[in-house]
């Protein structure tokens, strides 16, 4: 102790010499012991002792250096042992840092070795001692020479060796974070920094989840030195892989492991959330880091979209998108990537070859929605981005207005754009459910869009609003002021949008009296608005309220239940509204609706179409509704039974000057009345009511029934003349009289249909009612025939709506019942009465035509006119019933011997078949989840349970038999009308069969055999069969071989462009004939080639993206390695080679001018574009020095030169010669028709000639890239490419030679006339011409133009 004080006192005096003498008297271990004792005592100051020792150990003395080294070594051990408190350790490190530069290189190397050994052994438990290591390394790097391994190296080289050794050794997980912090203080080159970062990234998997955020933080700080993208890639790849592993485990886990998995899930999500916060904060400090992140995502977008849209990356991108600088590009990028992913998946599903080359990845929607699920673990920084992404997708990919129409018909086929829009809605709905903080904002933004987007469709926002309200109605009670504010703009919305909004908020009105009161007030105001649209909205709103607020009366409790239930709320409407208040409300609304009966026809129409729905839902209002209908009908009904017609139509129109308008849709009024009275009768049969109640309803009901019976009787006796609508009447739309007559005719036709439906409903299969129906239909047919006749005779000026009025007022329910009765009813008691209807063949055809009309409406917009036309479940049942009747009728007709068939039967059977095909199409697109139910309803149930695949196959086999039966029949008019619908049915059902099943393969073979063996000349039949064959082939194999075979057949049937070349008249497919080859089959082949070339270019793009991507990025993806890449190249080259072979046949074919030429030039241009893309792929490979060109590609280039390019130029010459010849032929006579045809011909030539320069440019671009690749690869790829001849002008050598001969011949004749004595000396021109002819004829197919136009020397080609 005395010696320590002496040392310290001498050190304070600054006497270095004496201090050195004192220290020389101590051994190194004694000095270490003194330092240790001072550290252990805690109160003493070991730093002063160390400073004294270092002061007395000069660096120019060997003993002093050794003493210094021992002190440093001992202090490092003390720091690693964690014996010092932090303040003491900091002071100790401070003094050691100051004196480190005094060490020679050998000592520094030994100190560094101590650190490396400690790291390898895992003895570093804290980061205090590591603070000295960067100083030692920097001091080493400053040394000029260091002895290492028996030789001398520079300090920087030795530093690199140290870092290499350090990063190559195994690290204890406890010291990783300390080491990562240490590296920030070390000066490194870019390569050394990359090595260190890769080592730290590899250590991720060895650390616990809670240790990862601090390591990521240190990595982000380290990235300020460089390699920002590498850091982001590594972090992203690790967590994407962790998500995959976790999801796989979650899918495989057993119930017993659920609790543990949940814990792991919480830990992983919280770790990811913290890391996203770290990265976002770092990007705010260093925007270059944000730019690198965007570049990284864009770099892997093409080759790995599933990596881009992984939940972690999406969450990170959304968090970065909150930074204003990156907001637009981040959301634009996500929007583009999501749409591209959906398009790519569609391409992979449609093509077997594409899916084989690039297998389908993860479901995009699932990945993005997983981000929403993960965000519940405290990811508040991501929530706002999710809302913005959802609305971005809906705004960008929602339905667009077509020709200014905001009403958009929902598409049956789900497109990638629609999928993206639906994904946006799902994101918002899930976010709304999961995060309370954004609910108000989501609701506000939805309502704002519904209110403000008056010129664009808002149906997708309304659907989202409805789903949001259904998911959590009580939660939305907090946001009622926003809904109430939206109601203020209700009358300014388009009627359809307003109706959708009112339907969406119905659940809220059931649980909020104030909201309902506000709406009623707004609707009352709208009822008196000057704008007709506002009044329409008011009527629709009142009708909705009447449907949803029932009046409790004599109904059973099960019928009167008016409860609204969801997963979160169970609210009984009548807990707030007792029956009496509901009744008062409904009666008040009915009073308001009576005002509509004096308004415009459009307003009344909405009322008439909605009242029946109100009656069905709210039966206690039946008396008021029936009285309203009766009162309105009395205005037009003639009570005097002797007066015909029984309806006064004059009040139904309004005339203002020369303009005539419909003021009362009388047919719809009558239709509503008969539907209501029929429904009331049904209800009365089901209920047992008291006599008093019956008396209360009896008067108005019986009056209306009497009125309808009287109308039936009198209308069946009325003639057209009674309505002043005979054949002599004026039906042209040019004058007011014609318009008036058209309106009257449409009203009368509607009345006939309404009475037909009424009598069928109440007739109960009585002969009397069916006879009345027949009489009504006869009158209907006479009037409709007059309208058709006038429409056909009147031309454009006189065309009427009579033929297309024809929106029938018959309900789909009645049509279904009538079809069953007419075509399949076998009940004995019905046969006599049904015979009355069945005898009338026109009536059967009429009912089937109405059914086809309803089916077409469902096909177009998913609903149909009339009652129950918007109820999807009922429509499905009606479609099943109608399809069953149609199939049975057609099957019966096909199996009936020919001599027993009548013309009517054939026509009916074809109509039934067309209807059946349309229904199958509807079910396969709009009800795809119910195909099995449909097929069960379609066929006779054998009692055996079949899976969906077997059931589809069973029905497909039946339709195959029908096709063969039709083809084998001897009738001439069968193929087109019957085979086309049958093949459509087979094609629609085949899309729902598994492509890897034996049944699909057998069906494909049958279609192929049909196209191969059956010689059918009908274009529609050939077209539908070839389209089906192409569609099925693309799903199970490569289509290009089929295209090649069909192309060879087209060449053999059309002949060669060189008339001297004889093509073998042999085909692979019997349906390819001279009549069908062009334009029918050729255009389909070109269309399919377009599609296949698009697929090829897409695959080339993906393979090229894989080539360009960094292998480290694709470590977690299924990216092609060298062998797989070579296989891809081989497949693409083989495919393009077959394309060239197919084009080799087509370009030599004598194709007719018009669409065929246009299509050929376009597809050829795309072909050369695909070839150029393949060349650019190899150019990229050579630029990156990552491979070499394959021998197969060299063969492909040779093939393109010898088999394609040369013949393309010959084809262009042939096309232009044919065009010029056609114009000259049509221009011979100077009549008006010829002049018109010349103008048309010139226009077509001008249009076609625009495609020639594009084709020439594509060829030249292809050759340009080939020249570049030849230089890169040192292989002459231009060996088989010949200089093109189609330029701004072209000299045809054959034509030139013949012109010169002709000129020489004419000059000889002149000389012969002028000087006879020189005739003998002239050479014989014919022999010379013959020799020249023989020589030039061997030059190729360009000689054809010379023979066609001998006088033409220079051909002006297209620009």
């Amino acid at each position: 102790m005395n010696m320590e004080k002496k040392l310290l006192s001498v050190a304070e005096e600054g006497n270095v010499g004496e201090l050195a003498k004192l220290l020389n008297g101590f051994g190194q271990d004694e000095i270490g012991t003194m330092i240790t004792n001072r550290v252990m005592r805690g109160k003493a100051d070991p730093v002063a002792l160390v400073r004294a020792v270092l002061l007395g150990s000069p660096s120019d003395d060997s003993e002093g250096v050794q003493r210094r080294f021992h002190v440093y070594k001992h202090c490092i051990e003390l720091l690693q042992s964690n014996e010092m408190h932090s303040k003491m350790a900091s002071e100790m490190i401070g003094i050691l840092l100051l004196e480190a530069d005094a060490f020679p290189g050998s000592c520094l190397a030994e100190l560094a070795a101590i650190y490396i050994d400690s790291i390898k052994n895992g003895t570093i438990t804290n980061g205090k001692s590591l603070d000295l290591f960067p100083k030692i390394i920097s001091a080493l790097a400053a040394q000029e020479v260091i002895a290492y391994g028996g030789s001398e190296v520079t300090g920087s080289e030795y530093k690199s060796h140290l870092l290499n050794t350090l990063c190559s050794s195994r690290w204890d997980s406890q010291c990783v974070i300390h080491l990562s912090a240490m590296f920030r203080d070390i000066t490194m080159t870019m390569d050394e920094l990359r090595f260190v970062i890769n080592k730290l990234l590899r250590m991720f998997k060895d650390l616990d989840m809670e240790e990862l955020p601090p390591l990521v933080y240190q990595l982000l700080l380290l990235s300020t030195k460089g390699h920002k993208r590498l850091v982001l890639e590594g972090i992203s790849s690790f967590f994407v892989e962790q998500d995959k592993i976790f999801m796989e485990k979650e899918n495989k886990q057993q119930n017993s492991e659920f609790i543990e998995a949940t814990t792991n899930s919480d830990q992983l999500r919280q770790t990811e959330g913290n890391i996203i916060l770290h990265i976002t904060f770092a990007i705010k400090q260093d925007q270059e880091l944000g730019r690198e992140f965007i570049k990284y995502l864009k770099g892997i977008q093409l080759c790995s979209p599933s990596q881009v849209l992984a939940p972690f990356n999406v969450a990170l991108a959304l968090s970065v998108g909150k930074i204003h600088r990156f907001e637009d590009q981040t959301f634009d990028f996500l929007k583009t990537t999501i749409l591209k992913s959906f398009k790519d998946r569609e391409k992979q599903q449609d093509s077997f070859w594409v899916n084989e080359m690039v297998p389908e990845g993860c479901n995009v929607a699932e990945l993005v929605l997983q981000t929403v699920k993960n965000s519940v673990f405290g990811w508040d920084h991501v929530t706002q981005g999710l809302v913005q992404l959802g609305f971005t997708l809906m705004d960008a990919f929602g339905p667009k207005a077509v020709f200014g129409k905001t009403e958009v018909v929902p598409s049956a086929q789900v497109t990638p754009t629609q999928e993206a829009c639906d994904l946006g809605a799902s994101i918002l709905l899930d976010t709304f459910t999961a995060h309370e903080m954004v609910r108000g904002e989501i609701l506000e933004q939805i309502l704002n869009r519904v209110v403000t987007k008056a010129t664009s469709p808002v149906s997708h926002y309304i659907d989202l609003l409805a789903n949001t309200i259904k998911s959590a109605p009580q939660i939305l009670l907090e946001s009622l002021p926003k809904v109430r504010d939206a109601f203020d703009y209700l009358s300014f919305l388009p009627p359809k949008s307003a109706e959708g909004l009112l339907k969406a908020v119905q659940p809220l009105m059931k649980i909020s009296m104030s909201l309902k009161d506000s709406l009623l007030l707004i609707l009352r105001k709208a009822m008196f608005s000057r704008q007709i649209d506002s009044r329409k909205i008011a009527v629709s709103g009142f009708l909705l309220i009447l449907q949803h607020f029932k009046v409790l009366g004599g109904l059973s409790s099960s019928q009167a239940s008016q409860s609204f239930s969801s997963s979160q709320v169970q609210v009984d409407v009548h807990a707030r509204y007792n029956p009496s208040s509901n009744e008062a409300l409904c009666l008040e609304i009915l009073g308001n609706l009576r005002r509509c009966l004096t308004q415009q026809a459009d307003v009344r129409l909405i009322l008439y179409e909605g009242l029946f729905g109100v009656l069905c839902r709210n039966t206690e209002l039946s008396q008021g509704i029936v009285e309203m209908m009766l009162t309105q009908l009395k205005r037009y009904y003639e009570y005097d039974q002797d007066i015909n017609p029984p309806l006064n139509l004059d009040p139904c129109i309004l005339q203002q000057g020369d303009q005539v308008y419909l003021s009362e849709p009388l047919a719809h009024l009558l239709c509503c009345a008969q539907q209501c009275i029929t429904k009331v009768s049904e209800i009365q049969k089901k209920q047992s009511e008291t006599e008093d109640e019956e008396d209360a309803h009896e008067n108005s009901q019986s009056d209306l029934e009497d009125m309808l019976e009287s109308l039936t009787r009198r209308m069946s006796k009325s003639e057209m003349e009674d309505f002043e609508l005979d054949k002599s009447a004026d039906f042209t739309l040019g004058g007011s009289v014609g318009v008036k007559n058209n309106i009257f005719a449409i009203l009368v036709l509607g009345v006939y249909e309404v009475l037909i439906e009424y009598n069928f409903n109440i007739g109960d299969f009585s002969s009397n009612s069916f006879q009345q129906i027949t009489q009504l239909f006869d009158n209907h047919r006479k009037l409709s025939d007059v309208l058709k006749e006038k429409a056909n005779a009147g031309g454009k000026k006189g065309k009427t709506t009579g033929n297309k009025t024809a929106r029938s007022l018959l309900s789909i329910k009645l049509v279904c019942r009538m079809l069953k009765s007419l075509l399949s009813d076998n009940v004995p008691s019905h046969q006599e009465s049904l015979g009355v209807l069945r005898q009338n063949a026109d009536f059967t055809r009429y009912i089937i035509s109405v059914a086809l009309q309803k089916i077409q409406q469902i096909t177009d917009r998913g609903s149909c006119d009339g009652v129950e036309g918007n109820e999807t479940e009922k429509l499905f049942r009606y479609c099943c019933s109608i399809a069953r009747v149609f199939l049975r009728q057609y099957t019966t007709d096909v199996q009936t011997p020919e001599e027993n068939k009548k013309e009517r039967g054939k026509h009916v059977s074809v109509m039934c078949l067309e209807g059946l095909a349309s229904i199958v199409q509807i079910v396969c697109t709009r009800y795809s989840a119910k195909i099995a139910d449909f097929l069960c309803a379609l066929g006779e149930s054998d009692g055996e349970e079949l899976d969906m695949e077997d059931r589809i196959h069973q029905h497909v086999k039946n339709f195959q038999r029908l096709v063969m039966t039709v083809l084998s029949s001897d009738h001439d008019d069968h193929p087109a009308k019957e085979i086309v619908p049958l093949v459509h049915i087979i094609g629609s059902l085949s899309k729902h069969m598994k492509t890897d099943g034996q049944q699909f393969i057998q069906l494909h073979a049958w279609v192929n055999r049909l196209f191969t063996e059956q010689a059918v000349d009908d274009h529609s039949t050939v077209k539908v069969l070839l389209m089906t064959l192409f569609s099925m082939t693309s799903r199970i194999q490569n289509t290009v071989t089929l295209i090649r075979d069909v192309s060879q057949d087209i060449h053999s049937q059309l002949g060669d462009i060189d008339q001297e070349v004889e093509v073998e008249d042999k085909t692979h497919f019997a349906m390819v004939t001279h009549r069908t080859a062009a334009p029918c089959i050729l255009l389909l082949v070109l269309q399919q080639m377009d599609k296949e070339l698009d697929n090829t270019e897409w695959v080339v793009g993906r393979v090229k993206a894989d080539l360009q991507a960094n292998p480290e990025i694709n470590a977690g993806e299924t990216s092609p390695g060298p062998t797989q890449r070579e296989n891809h190249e081989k497949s693409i080259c083989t495919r393009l080679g077959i394309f060239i072979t197919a084009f080799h046949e087509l370009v030599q074919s004598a194709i007719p001018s018009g669409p065929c030429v246009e299509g050929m030039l376009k597809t050829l241009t795309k072909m050369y574009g695909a070839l150029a893309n393949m060349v650019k792929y190899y150019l990229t490979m050579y630029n990156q020095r990552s491979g070499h060109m394959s021998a197969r590609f060299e063969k492909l280039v040779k093939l393109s030169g010898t088999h394609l390019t040369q013949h393309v130029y010959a084809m262009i010459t042939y096309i232009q010669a044919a065009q010029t010849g056609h114009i000259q032929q049509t221009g011979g006579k100077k009549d008006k028709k010829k002049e018109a045809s010349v103008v048309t011909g010139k226009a077509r030539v001008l249009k076609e000639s625009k495609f020639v320069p594009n084709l020439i440019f594509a060829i030249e671009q292809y050759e340009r890239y080939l020249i570049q690749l030849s230089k890169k690869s040192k292989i002459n790829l231009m060996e088989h490419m010949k200089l093109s001849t189609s330029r701004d002008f072209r000299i045809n050598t054959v034509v030139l030679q013949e012109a010169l001969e002709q000129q020489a011949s004419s000059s000889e004749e002149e000389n012969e006339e002028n000087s006879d004595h020189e005739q003998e000396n002239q050479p014989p021109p014919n022999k010379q011409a013959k020799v020249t002819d023989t020589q030039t004829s061997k030059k190729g197919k360009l000689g054809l133009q010379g023979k066609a136009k001998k006088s033409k020397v220079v051909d002006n080609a297209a620009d």
Side-chain angles (χ1 to χ4, degrees), residues 305-320:
S306 61
Q307 177 103 349
V308 176
L309 295 175
F312 179 81
N313 281 339
V314 172
L316 180 54
L318 293 175
S319 188
V320 171

Side-chain angles (χ1 to χ4, degrees), residues 154 299 456 646 706 1011 1121 1262-1263:
T154 64
S456 58
D706 293 342
F1011 194 70
Y1262 169 55
E1263 293 174 354

Side-chain angles (χ1 to χ4, degrees), residues 570-808:
Q570 176 77 25
V571 181
D572 190 353
V573 175
H574 303 299
R576 290 178 181 261
Y577 303 111
N578 58 44
S580 59
S581 66
N582 266 359
E583 184 175 9
L585 169 69
C586 292
L587 291 176
E588 179 190 354
I589 291 174
L590 277 179
N592 287 327
L593 289 176
R594 284 192 179 90
R595 302 177 189 273
C596 301
L597 298 177
T598 58
Q599 296 191 9
Q600 288 93 335
D602 289 345
V603 180
R604 300 187 198 187
L605 192 60
I606 293 174
L607 176 64
Y608 298 154
E609 289 177 345
L611 277 177
F612 178 72
V614 171
L615 178 60
C616 292
R617 297 284 297 271
N618 210 344
T619 53
E620 285 299 308
L621 298 177
S622 58
Q623 182 182 1
I625 293 173
V626 169
E627 287 177 355
M628 187 191 302
M629 293 294 97
L630 180 62
T631 305
Q632 188 69 3
L633 272 174
K634 286 179 179 178
R635 299 181 181 181
Y636 313 100
Y637 178 69
E638 297 286 356
Y639 277 94
D640 190 342
Q641 299 295 314
D642 298 329
I643 296 179
N644 259 349
L647 292 171
N648 183 11
L649 300 183
D650 290 330
C652 294
I653 62 169
L654 179 65
Q655 190 159 0
Q656 295 178 348
D658 294 336
Q659 299 295 320
V660 179
Y661 304 98
L662 175 68
S663 65
E664 176 64 81
L666 182 60
H668 287 82
L669 168 62
L670 196 63
C671 181
C672 178
Q674 74 87 10
Q675 288 166 351
C676 290
I677 203 68
T678 306
K679 183 68 177 177
V680 169
S681 300
E682 290 178 7
I683 293 171
Q684 287 178 347
K685 289 179 182 177
K686 293 178 181 178
Q687 296 175 351
S688 56
E689 297 183 336
T690 63
E691 290 297 324
D692 294 338
E693 288 176 325
E694 286 183 3
D695 291 341
H697 296 287
E698 188 66 31
N699 293 334
S700 55
Q701 182 180 341
S702 61
D703 288 350
L704 189 52
E705 288 174 350
D706 293 342
M707 187 182 290
L708 289 170
E709 289 174 8
S710 172
L711 281 174
T712 301
R713 187 175 61 257
R714 293 157 70 186
M715 285 294 291
S716 61
K717 296 177 182 178
S718 297
E719 301 291 336
M720 286 189 294
E721 290 78 5
D722 295 333
F723 295 99
E724 299 178 359
L725 295 175
D726 56 356
K727 291 184 178 181
S728 61
D730 179 15
F731 287 97
T732 59
L733 296 177
S736 59
V737 176
V739 173
K740 173 184 174 183
N741 287 337
N742 268 289
I743 293 174
F744 281 175
I746 293 168
L747 291 176
V748 173
L749 288 174
V751 170
Y752 283 135
E753 288 183 329
V754 170
L755 294 175
I756 287 173
E757 178 164 356
Y758 175 71
N759 281 276
F760 190 88
N761 286 332
I762 67 166
D764 197 20
F765 291 92
S766 68
S767 299
N768 185 35
S769 63
F770 284 178
Q771 284 172 356
Q772 288 181 328
I773 289 175
T774 305
Q775 292 170 358
L776 289 168
F777 172 71
D778 288 340
N779 292 345
H780 179 281
R781 188 190 62 201
K782 290 175 186 176
L783 181 53
S784 61
D785 287 346
V786 169
L787 285 176
K788 289 177 184 177
E789 181 183 339
K790 295 288 184 178
N792 294 332
K796 287 188 177 179
K797 291 183 180 179
K799 71 177 180 181
T800 73
T801 56
N803 196 13
K804 298 188 180 182
T805 44
R807 280 185 148 193
S808 175

